[in-house]
Protein backbone atom coordinates (compact mmCIF):
# COMPACT_ATOMS: atom_id res chain seq x y z
CA UNK A 1 0.00 0.00 0.00
CA UNK A 2 1.42 3.40 -1.01
CA UNK A 3 1.47 6.34 1.35
CA UNK A 4 0.65 9.74 -0.04
CA UNK A 5 0.11 13.32 1.02
CA UNK A 6 -2.17 16.07 -0.20
CA UNK A 7 -0.40 19.32 -0.97
CA UNK A 8 -1.61 22.69 -2.19
CA UNK A 9 -0.94 22.99 -5.91
CA UNK A 10 -2.28 26.50 -6.48
CA UNK A 11 -3.67 28.93 -3.91
CA UNK A 12 -3.57 32.19 -5.84
CA UNK A 13 -7.34 32.61 -5.90
CA UNK A 14 -9.25 33.79 -2.83
CA UNK A 15 -12.20 31.57 -3.81
CA UNK A 16 -10.56 28.31 -4.85
CA UNK A 17 -7.56 26.17 -3.94
CA UNK A 18 -6.21 23.32 -6.04
CA UNK A 19 -4.67 20.32 -4.32
CA UNK A 20 -2.47 17.56 -5.67
CA UNK A 21 -1.40 14.12 -4.51
CA UNK A 22 2.26 13.36 -3.81
CA UNK A 23 3.20 9.70 -3.36
CA UNK A 24 5.88 9.15 -0.71
CA UNK A 25 9.31 8.89 -2.28
CA UNK A 26 8.29 10.59 -5.53
CA UNK A 27 9.84 13.89 -6.56
CA UNK A 28 6.91 15.07 -8.72
CA UNK A 29 3.26 15.30 -7.76
CA UNK A 30 0.55 13.58 -9.77
CA UNK A 31 -0.44 16.95 -11.25
CA UNK A 32 3.15 17.70 -12.28
CA UNK A 33 3.42 14.25 -13.89
CA UNK A 34 0.22 14.90 -15.87
CA UNK A 35 1.47 18.25 -17.18
CA UNK A 36 4.87 16.76 -18.01
CA UNK A 37 3.28 13.96 -20.07
CA UNK A 38 0.78 16.33 -21.69
CA UNK A 39 3.32 18.93 -22.79
CA UNK A 40 5.95 16.44 -23.95
CA UNK A 41 3.55 14.50 -26.20
CA UNK A 42 3.52 15.89 -29.75
CA UNK A 43 0.11 14.31 -30.43
CA UNK A 44 -1.39 16.94 -28.14
CA UNK A 45 0.30 19.95 -29.74
CA UNK A 46 -2.90 21.61 -31.06
CA UNK A 47 -4.86 20.65 -27.95
CA UNK A 48 -2.23 22.32 -25.77
CA UNK A 49 -2.89 25.66 -27.43
CA UNK A 50 -6.65 25.42 -27.10
CA UNK A 51 -6.30 24.36 -23.46
CA UNK A 52 -3.85 27.14 -22.76
CA UNK A 53 -6.08 29.78 -24.37
CA UNK A 54 -9.05 28.48 -22.39
CA UNK A 55 -7.09 28.52 -19.14
CA UNK A 56 -5.71 32.04 -19.59
Amino acid sequence: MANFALEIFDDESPKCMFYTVVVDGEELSETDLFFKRFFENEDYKMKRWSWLLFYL
Side-chain angles (χ1 to χ4, degrees):
M1 181 156 88
N3 292 327
F4 63 90
L6 289 176
E7 293 184 359
I8 295 174
F9 180 73
D10 182 6
D11 65 348
E12 294 181 17
S13 172
K15 295 183 180 183
C16 182
M17 275 189 177
F18 292 98
Y19 292 87
T20 187
V21 173
V22 179
V23 177
D24 283 345
E26 295 292 326
E27 187 174 317
L28 297 174
S29 71
E30 292 296 314
T31 306
D32 292 328
L33 289 171
F34 166 78
F35 283 118
K36 182 177 183 216
R37 285 190 303 264
F38 185 72
F39 283 102
E40 288 178 353
N41 189 335
E42 284 300 313
D43 293 338
Y44 295 125
K45 188 172 189 174
M46 291 305 296
K47 292 180 182 179
R48 283 193 298 251
W49 283 108
S50 60
W51 178 81
L52 187 60
L53 291 173
F54 174 76
Y55 184 74
L56 295 176

